[in-house]
Amino acid sequence: AGPKRIEELVRKTVLAEVAEVRDVTHVAVHVFNSGVATEVTIEVNPKRLVSEAGEIAAAARTAIEQIHGIRSADIHLELEDE
């Protein structure tokens, strides 16, 4: 699959599998011979504790890395006020 399709799949997967994620605000896809690496920025509720936000990011990383061909996911958190 091309980078645009991978980006769409990453967005759809994170939003479907990690309920605490409000939005996926950025996805960068890097294609290498050894697989695909992604950089993903997710938006979570700013009232979450830092430890909870870290757990949400870990859940997003796990969900993304289960997608066939993706070897790594670097997750960035965005804490937006309502």
Side-chain angles (χ1 to χ4, degrees):
K4 188 68 175 166
R5 175 70 182 117
I6 293 168
E7 177 185 341
E8 292 169 359
L9 189 55
V10 165
R11 288 179 188 277
K12 186 184 300 185
T13 299
V14 170
L15 293 171
E17 295 190 21
V18 188
E20 298 87 358
V21 173
R22 288 181 170 179
D23 194 13
V24 176
T25 59
H26 175 77
V27 178
V29 176
H30 307 283
V31 180
F32 302 100
N33 289 336
S34 59
V36 176
T38 59
E39 292 178 42
V40 181
T41 302
I42 59 173
E43 183 180 309
V44 298
N45 186 326
K47 293 177 177 52
R48 294 282 186 175
L49 297 174
V50 172
S51 62
E52 291 175 315
E55 290 172 7
I56 294 166
R61 177 180 297 109
T62 298
I64 293 167
E65 290 178 347
Q66 297 302 311
I67 298 171
H68 179 73
I70 295 183
R71 65 175 174 84
S72 69
D74 186 17
I75 308 298
H76 303 273
L77 291 170
E78 200 171 282
L79 304 173
E80 290 293 327
D81 291 331
E82 295 190 53

